[in-house]
Amino acid sequence: MAPLIAARGVEKHFPVTRKFSEVLRGERPINRAVDGIDLTIGEGETVGLLGESGCGKTTTGRLLLKLTQPTGGTIQFAGEDLNQVKGPALKRFRQQAQLVFQNPFDALNPRFTIFRALREPLLNAGIPETEHADRMWTAMRRVRLPDVDAYYDRYPHQLSGGQLQRVVLARALVLEPRFLVADEPVSMLDVSVRAGILNVMRDVHATMGLTAVYISHDFALVRYVCARTVVMYLGKIVEDGPSAEVVERPQHPYTKALVQAVPVPDVNQSRAPLPIKGSLSQAQAPQGGCRFRDRCPYAFERCASEEPLMREIVPGHKAACHLL
Ligand SMILES: Nc1ncnc2c1ncn2[C@@H]1O[C@H](COP(=O)(O)OP(=O)(O)OP(=O)(O)O)[C@@H](O)[C@H]1O
Ligand SMILES: [Mg+2]
């Protein structure tokens, strides 16, 4: 499989608002939201990006779409360095790489009909008008809203959440992109409509051969839609492998804890706390060594002195841990 995306040493460091005392001491604290990611994604691959809140998933997705500039490293898309892409090449990239938002209610302009919402990207991209109807119809059929006439002159508030998320997906597909990033695409939807949307997404991959990154907290969703799963911890990738392997035979202690914490399918039972110490909101990436060591039940001396690198544990399945 030829890589569509090749990210090398990608970093996004945000400046943190300084306390007065820090300003006086000349300190410049930074948030290492994404801190040196290597990620190669083959054409047609579906990758689930998992990890606790705040570990850098959305920032990674935005970097891959060039919606934010990296503070370090390079990302190649179809062989082109995104840091260098400008002008007409950037416009082409914007057509080929699309984002699906978490909240369908925010993603569409409430004053635009569905017709106008679907047509807008075509107009912006300068697609000949003779192709519009065909492209819009194809996109609506792909998301299983084939009764196009029933939706065209409606406004977002006249649709259910599930219908709306399909329209949002159709809008992302109308330009026939090669790459899609879906950030928590069903987390705002009722459980009863999620399965329908996930089936649509699986179909879309099968029929369009689309390359996609799904950002989620949900192992079950990622396993259902994505062939490959990547787990992030505090700005780093700690595990990467086939989804079934990662869920059934997690290697990294952090992934093991995440898998154990997967909620039981019972609405009355809340998600079990992670069987590791502390939470990400308190966790500060310790300097040097393994950044998970403060929470890891198995940490030993080497974890403080040497950063574990990603290596293949079983063919096709990588993790970064000194114990493995
Ligand atoms: N524009 C920004 N300016 C400053 N800090 C930011 C910015 N965007 C994100 N961050 C910080 O970067 C870190 C990673 O954020 P990010 O949104 O990528 O996490 P996430 O994994 O998507 O979390 P969630 O699961 O809650 O959506 C967080 O600490 C966040 O506060
Ligand atoms: Mg996020």
Side-chain angles (χ1 to χ4, degrees):
M1 220 179 331
L4 181 65
I5 289 162
R8 293 285 162 267
V10 173
E11 290 176 357
K12 182 71 184 181
H13 292 175
F14 293 109
V16 176
T17 316
R18 291 191 284 177
K19 296 190 195 91
F20 187 62
S21 55
E22 290 167 338
V23 178
L24 282 181
R25 288 198 298 268
E27 287 172 11
R28 291 203 165 271
I30 49 166
N31 180 347
R32 300 167 187 271
V34 172
D35 202 18
I37 276 187
D38 291 329
L39 183 63
T40 304
I41 304 178
E43 184 103 50
E45 233 184 340
T46 44
V47 178
L49 196 54
L50 278 166
E52 278 167 288
S53 182
C55 70
K57 303 180 297 295
T58 296
T59 307
T60 302
R62 289 172 54 81
L63 286 164
L64 296 179
L65 291 172
K66 198 176 162 67
L67 295 175
T68 186
Q69 283 301 111
T71 47
T74 58
I75 301 171
Q76 291 211 330
F77 181 86
E80 275 188 284
D81 181 352
L82 287 187
N83 284 333
Q84 310 297 332
V85 165
K86 296 187 186 67
L90 180 58
K91 200 170 170 190
R92 259 199 321 278
F93 172 72
R94 293 263 171 258
Q95 293 177 24
Q96 292 184 355
Q98 297 285 327
L99 176 67
V100 174
F101 290 97
Q102 174 176 27
N103 185 352
F105 303 94
D106 283 345
L108 298 174
N109 187 327
R111 286 169 296 135
F112 284 9
T113 59
I114 304 308
F115 177 81
R116 195 164 162 199
L118 287 177
R119 198 171 182 210
E120 203 196 16
L122 296 169
L123 288 170
N124 289 343
I127 305 291
E129 293 214 10
T130 48
E131 289 181 28
H132 289 192
D134 205 29
R135 284 198 184 229
M136 287 156 77
W137 187 79
T138 305
M140 291 288 269
R141 207 183 35 161
R142 283 205 167 115
V143 300
R144 299 202 197 150
L145 288 176
D147 187 9
V148 178
D149 292 337
Y151 296 97
Y152 270 169
D153 60 354
R154 289 213 231 164
Y155 289 89
H157 75 271
Q158 296 171 319
L159 268 58
S160 73
Q163 288 166 339
L164 212 52
Q165 190 57 304
R166 285 170 199 237
V167 170
V168 170
L169 189 59
R171 198 172 109 103
L173 298 179
V174 81
L175 289 170
E176 305 268 336
R178 288 169 82 179
F179 177 49
L180 191 78
V181 173
D183 196 349
E184 312 253 13
V186 292
S187 64
M188 301 293 282
L189 297 175
D190 193 272
V191 175
S192 61
V193 297
R194 281 188 192 183
I197 301 283
L198 295 179
N199 284 331
V200 163
M201 289 178 163
R202 270 171 55 133
D203 268 13
V204 162
H205 295 299
T207 54
M208 294 178 74
L210 195 67
T211 307
V213 170
Y214 284 90
I215 295 171
S216 181
H217 292 101
D218 185 346
F219 267 100
L221 179 153
V222 162
R223 188 177 172 181
Y224 189 64
V225 183
C226 304
R228 175 175 162 198
T229 292
V230 169
V231 180
M232 278 183 80
Y233 182 75
L234 278 180
K236 287 262 189 205
I237 292 177
V238 296
E239 185 148 356
D240 180 346
S243 296
E245 274 286 313
V246 172
V247 175
E248 276 158 33
R249 280 173 287 279
Q251 298 291 326
H252 196 282
Y254 177 63
T255 317
K256 285 184 181 166
L258 281 184
V259 170
Q260 273 180 43
V262 166
V264 283
D266 176 352
V267 285
N268 295 316
Q269 214 161 332
S270 60
R271 181 182 279 255
L274 286 187
I276 45 179
K277 293 174 262 179
S279 72
L280 198 55
S281 53
Q282 304 157 354
Q284 291 289 327
Q287 288 297 308
C290 173
R291 60 189 60 199
F292 184 58
R293 66 175 188 268
D294 291 349
R295 297 173 75 192
C296 182
Y298 314 109
F300 60 113
E301 303 86 57
R302 191 175 164 203
C303 306
S305 58
E306 192 186 327
E307 184 174 346
L309 301 176
M310 286 290 276
R311 60 183 192 86
E312 205 157 42
I313 310 300
V314 285
H317 188 165
K318 292 184 197 162
C321 176
H322 289 315
L323 287 168
L324 301 170

PDB file of all heavy atoms in Angstrom, residues 215-233:
ATOM      1  N   ILE A 215     -11.352   9.839  15.172  1.00  0.00           N
ATOM      2  CA  ILE A 215     -10.904  10.188  16.515  1.00  0.00           C
ATOM      3  C   ILE A 215     -12.015   9.800  17.473  1.00  0.00           C
ATOM      4  O   ILE A 215     -13.182  10.165  17.242  1.00  0.00           O
ATOM      5  CB  ILE A 215     -10.622  11.699  16.586  1.00  0.00           C
ATOM      6  CG1 ILE A 215      -9.443  12.022  15.671  1.00  0.00           C
ATOM      7  CG2 ILE A 215     -10.385  12.132  18.014  1.00  0.00           C
ATOM      8  CD1 ILE A 215      -9.194  13.493  15.468  1.00  0.00           C
ATOM      9  N   SER A 216     -11.666   9.085  18.515  1.00  0.00           N
ATOM     10  CA  SER A 216     -12.717   8.627  19.415  1.00  0.00           C
ATOM     11  C   SER A 216     -12.168   8.239  20.774  1.00  0.00           C
ATOM     12  O   SER A 216     -10.969   8.041  20.950  1.00  0.00           O
ATOM     13  CB  SER A 216     -13.414   7.418  18.796  1.00  0.00           C
ATOM     14  OG  SER A 216     -14.443   6.980  19.618  1.00  0.00           O
ATOM     15  N   HIS A 217     -13.076   8.117  21.750  1.00  0.00           N
ATOM     16  CA  HIS A 217     -12.726   7.527  23.042  1.00  0.00           C
ATOM     17  C   HIS A 217     -13.159   6.072  23.066  1.00  0.00           C
ATOM     18  O   HIS A 217     -12.924   5.375  24.041  1.00  0.00           O
ATOM     19  CB  HIS A 217     -13.497   8.233  24.174  1.00  0.00           C
ATOM     20  CG  HIS A 217     -13.092   9.632  24.408  1.00  0.00           C
ATOM     21  ND1 HIS A 217     -13.807  10.696  23.944  1.00  0.00           N
ATOM     22  CD2 HIS A 217     -12.020  10.131  25.058  1.00  0.00           C
ATOM     23  CE1 HIS A 217     -13.190  11.795  24.314  1.00  0.00           C
ATOM     24  NE2 HIS A 217     -12.107  11.484  24.976  1.00  0.00           N
ATOM     25  N   ASP A 218     -13.825   5.654  22.011  1.00  0.00           N
ATOM     26  CA  ASP A 218     -14.619   4.433  22.083  1.00  0.00           C
ATOM     27  C   ASP A 218     -13.963   3.290  21.291  1.00  0.00           C
ATOM     28  O   ASP A 218     -13.952   3.288  20.061  1.00  0.00           O
ATOM     29  CB  ASP A 218     -16.000   4.780  21.499  1.00  0.00           C
ATOM     30  CG  ASP A 218     -16.976   3.642  21.622  1.00  0.00           C
ATOM     31  OD1 ASP A 218     -16.554   2.516  21.903  1.00  0.00           O
ATOM     32  OD2 ASP A 218     -18.178   3.893  21.410  1.00  0.00           O
ATOM     33  N   PHE A 219     -13.412   2.313  22.020  1.00  0.00           N
ATOM     34  CA  PHE A 219     -12.752   1.179  21.364  1.00  0.00           C
ATOM     35  C   PHE A 219     -13.704   0.426  20.450  1.00  0.00           C
ATOM     36  O   PHE A 219     -13.314  -0.045  19.383  1.00  0.00           O
ATOM     37  CB  PHE A 219     -12.210   0.199  22.411  1.00  0.00           C
ATOM     38  CG  PHE A 219     -10.795   0.466  22.789  1.00  0.00           C
ATOM     39  CD1 PHE A 219     -10.493   1.147  23.959  1.00  0.00           C
ATOM     40  CD2 PHE A 219      -9.754   0.035  21.989  1.00  0.00           C
ATOM     41  CE1 PHE A 219      -9.185   1.396  24.309  1.00  0.00           C
ATOM     42  CE2 PHE A 219      -8.437   0.275  22.327  1.00  0.00           C
ATOM     43  CZ  PHE A 219      -8.158   0.964  23.494  1.00  0.00           C
ATOM     44  N   ALA A 220     -14.958   0.281  20.900  1.00  0.00           N
ATOM     45  CA  ALA A 220     -15.911  -0.510  20.114  1.00  0.00           C
ATOM     46  C   ALA A 220     -16.153   0.154  18.755  1.00  0.00           C
ATOM     47  O   ALA A 220     -16.150  -0.504  17.714  1.00  0.00           O
ATOM     48  CB  ALA A 220     -17.226  -0.646  20.874  1.00  0.00           C
ATOM     49  N   LEU A 221     -16.309   1.484  18.771  1.00  0.00           N
ATOM     50  CA  LEU A 221     -16.536   2.219  17.520  1.00  0.00           C
ATOM     51  C   LEU A 221     -15.338   2.074  16.597  1.00  0.00           C
ATOM     52  O   LEU A 221     -15.469   1.729  15.428  1.00  0.00           O
ATOM     53  CB  LEU A 221     -16.775   3.698  17.855  1.00  0.00           C
ATOM     54  CG  LEU A 221     -17.003   4.661  16.686  1.00  0.00           C
ATOM     55  CD1 LEU A 221     -17.841   5.841  17.159  1.00  0.00           C
ATOM     56  CD2 LEU A 221     -15.716   5.197  16.072  1.00  0.00           C
ATOM     57  N   VAL A 222     -14.166   2.294  17.145  1.00  0.00           N
ATOM     58  CA  VAL A 222     -12.954   2.249  16.334  1.00  0.00           C
ATOM     59  C   VAL A 222     -12.762   0.846  15.761  1.00  0.00           C
ATOM     60  O   VAL A 222     -12.427   0.670  14.595  1.00  0.00           O
ATOM     61  CB  VAL A 222     -11.747   2.701  17.191  1.00  0.00           C
ATOM     62  CG1 VAL A 222     -10.438   2.270  16.574  1.00  0.00           C
ATOM     63  CG2 VAL A 222     -11.784   4.210  17.360  1.00  0.00           C
ATOM     64  N   ARG A 223     -13.037  -0.143  16.566  1.00  0.00           N
ATOM     65  CA  ARG A 223     -12.842  -1.508  16.087  1.00  0.00           C
ATOM     66  C   ARG A 223     -13.833  -1.843  14.975  1.00  0.00           C
ATOM     67  O   ARG A 223     -13.513  -2.566  14.035  1.00  0.00           O
ATOM     68  CB  ARG A 223     -13.020  -2.476  17.250  1.00  0.00           C
ATOM     69  CG  ARG A 223     -12.638  -3.856  16.826  1.00  0.00           C
ATOM     70  CD  ARG A 223     -12.730  -4.823  17.955  1.00  0.00           C
ATOM     71  NE  ARG A 223     -12.540  -6.157  17.416  1.00  0.00           N
ATOM     72  CZ  ARG A 223     -12.573  -7.233  18.136  1.00  0.00           C
ATOM     73  NH1 ARG A 223     -12.793  -7.155  19.431  1.00  0.00           N
ATOM     74  NH2 ARG A 223     -12.408  -8.406  17.566  1.00  0.00           N
ATOM     75  N   TYR A 224     -15.036  -1.291  15.097  1.00  0.00           N
ATOM     76  CA  TYR A 224     -16.070  -1.575  14.099  1.00  0.00           C
ATOM     77  C   TYR A 224     -15.771  -0.904  12.757  1.00  0.00           C
ATOM     78  O   TYR A 224     -15.985  -1.478  11.706  1.00  0.00           O
ATOM     79  CB  TYR A 224     -17.427  -1.097  14.633  1.00  0.00           C
ATOM     80  CG  TYR A 224     -18.606  -1.517  13.785  1.00  0.00           C
ATOM     81  CD1 TYR A 224     -18.926  -2.863  13.638  1.00  0.00           C
ATOM     82  CD2 TYR A 224     -19.381  -0.575  13.130  1.00  0.00           C
ATOM     83  CE1 TYR A 224     -20.000  -3.257  12.858  1.00  0.00           C
ATOM     84  CE2 TYR A 224     -20.451  -0.952  12.349  1.00  0.00           C
ATOM     85  CZ  TYR A 224     -20.763  -2.297  12.218  1.00  0.00           C
ATOM     86  OH  TYR A 224     -21.808  -2.686  11.440  1.00  0.00           O
ATOM     87  N   VAL A 225     -15.271   0.324  12.825  1.00  0.00           N
ATOM     88  CA  VAL A 225     -15.087   1.089  11.588  1.00  0.00           C
ATOM     89  C   VAL A 225     -13.655   1.003  11.043  1.00  0.00           C
ATOM     90  O   VAL A 225     -13.463   1.074   9.832  1.00  0.00           O
ATOM     91  CB  VAL A 225     -15.477   2.578  11.805  1.00  0.00           C
ATOM     92  CG1 VAL A 225     -15.367   3.369  10.519  1.00  0.00           C
ATOM     93  CG2 VAL A 225     -16.886   2.702  12.365  1.00  0.00           C
ATOM     94  N   CYS A 226     -12.660   0.854  11.929  1.00  0.00           N
ATOM     95  CA  CYS A 226     -11.266   1.003  11.487  1.00  0.00           C
ATOM     96  C   CYS A 226     -10.498  -0.307  11.541  1.00  0.00           C
ATOM     97  O   CYS A 226     -10.552  -1.027  12.535  1.00  0.00           O
ATOM     98  CB  CYS A 226     -10.551   2.011  12.383  1.00  0.00           C
ATOM     99  SG  CYS A 226     -11.380   3.582  12.446  1.00  0.00           S
ATOM    100  N   ALA A 227      -9.718  -0.543  10.503  1.00  0.00           N
ATOM    101  CA  ALA A 227      -8.888  -1.751  10.455  1.00  0.00           C
ATOM    102  C   ALA A 227      -7.696  -1.613  11.404  1.00  0.00           C
ATOM    103  O   ALA A 227      -7.188  -2.592  11.918  1.00  0.00           O
ATOM    104  CB  ALA A 227      -8.404  -1.976   9.032  1.00  0.00           C
ATOM    105  N   ARG A 228      -7.272  -0.355  11.632  1.00  0.00           N
ATOM    106  CA  ARG A 228      -6.064  -0.130  12.421  1.00  0.00           C
ATOM    107  C   ARG A 228      -6.365   0.828  13.575  1.00  0.00           C
ATOM    108  O   ARG A 228      -7.164   1.753  13.409  1.00  0.00           O
ATOM    109  CB  ARG A 228      -5.013   0.471  11.488  1.00  0.00           C
ATOM    110  CG  ARG A 228      -3.730   0.886  12.134  1.00  0.00           C
ATOM    111  CD  ARG A 228      -2.778   1.344  11.035  1.00  0.00           C
ATOM    112  NE  ARG A 228      -1.700   2.139  11.571  1.00  0.00           N
ATOM    113  CZ  ARG A 228      -0.932   2.947  10.843  1.00  0.00           C
ATOM    114  NH1 ARG A 228      -1.155   3.073   9.542  1.00  0.00           N
ATOM    115  NH2 ARG A 228       0.030   3.645  11.400  1.00  0.00           N
ATOM    116  N   THR A 229      -5.722   0.611  14.702  1.00  0.00           N
ATOM    117  CA  THR A 229      -5.922   1.474  15.862  1.00  0.00           C
ATOM    118  C   THR A 229      -4.584   2.027  16.338  1.00  0.00           C
ATOM    119  O   THR A 229      -3.607   1.283  16.447  1.00  0.00           O
ATOM    120  CB  THR A 229      -6.597   0.679  17.014  1.00  0.00           C
ATOM    121  OG1 THR A 229      -7.926   0.360  16.616  1.00  0.00           O
ATOM    122  CG2 THR A 229      -6.650   1.477  18.298  1.00  0.00           C
ATOM    123  N   VAL A 230      -4.584   3.335  16.605  1.00  0.00           N
ATOM    124  CA  VAL A 230      -3.406   4.018  17.127  1.00  0.00           C
ATOM    125  C   VAL A 230      -3.800   4.628  18.475  1.00  0.00           C
ATOM    126  O   VAL A 230      -4.824   5.293  18.578  1.00  0.00           O
ATOM    127  CB  VAL A 230      -2.950   5.118  16.142  1.00  0.00           C
ATOM    128  CG1 VAL A 230      -1.898   6.019  16.764  1.00  0.00           C
ATOM    129  CG2 VAL A 230      -2.424   4.501  14.843  1.00  0.00           C
ATOM    130  N   VAL A 231      -2.994   4.374  19.496  1.00  0.00           N
ATOM    131  CA  VAL A 231      -3.306   4.890  20.832  1.00  0.00           C
ATOM    132  C   VAL A 231      -2.297   5.977  21.179  1.00  0.00           C
ATOM    133  O   VAL A 231      -1.089   5.795  21.012  1.00  0.00           O
ATOM    134  CB  VAL A 231      -3.248   3.764  21.895  1.00  0.00           C
ATOM    135  CG1 VAL A 231      -3.571   4.305  23.281  1.00  0.00           C
ATOM    136  CG2 VAL A 231      -4.207   2.638  21.523  1.00  0.00           C
ATOM    137  N   MET A 232      -2.823   7.113  21.665  1.00  0.00           N
ATOM    138  CA  MET A 232      -1.963   8.234  22.052  1.00  0.00           C
ATOM    139  C   MET A 232      -1.966   8.421  23.554  1.00  0.00           C
ATOM    140  O   MET A 232      -2.996   8.233  24.206  1.00  0.00           O
ATOM    141  CB  MET A 232      -2.473   9.544  21.436  1.00  0.00           C
ATOM    142  CG  MET A 232      -2.047   9.756  20.010  1.00  0.00           C
ATOM    143  SD  MET A 232      -2.621  11.367  19.415  1.00  0.00           S
ATOM    144  CE  MET A 232      -1.384  12.472  20.111  1.00  0.00           C
ATOM    145  N   TYR A 233      -0.823   8.826  24.081  1.00  0.00           N
ATOM    146  CA  TYR A 233      -0.744   9.224  25.476  1.00  0.00           C
ATOM    147  C   TYR A 233       0.099  10.484  25.573  1.00  0.00           C
ATOM    148  O   TYR A 233       1.266  10.484  25.163  1.00  0.00           O
ATOM    149  CB  TYR A 233      -0.148   8.100  26.350  1.00  0.00           C
ATOM    150  CG  TYR A 233      -0.118   8.490  27.797  1.00  0.00           C
ATOM    151  CD1 TYR A 233      -1.287   8.507  28.545  1.00  0.00           C
ATOM    152  CD2 TYR A 233       1.053   8.921  28.398  1.00  0.00           C
ATOM    153  CE1 TYR A 233      -1.294   8.922  29.861  1.00  0.00           C
ATOM    154  CE2 TYR A 233       1.063   9.339  29.717  1.00  0.00           C
ATOM    155  CZ  TYR A 233      -0.112   9.334  30.444  1.00  0.00           C
ATOM    156  OH  TYR A 233      -0.119   9.761  31.748  1.00  0.00           O
TER     157      TYR A 233
END
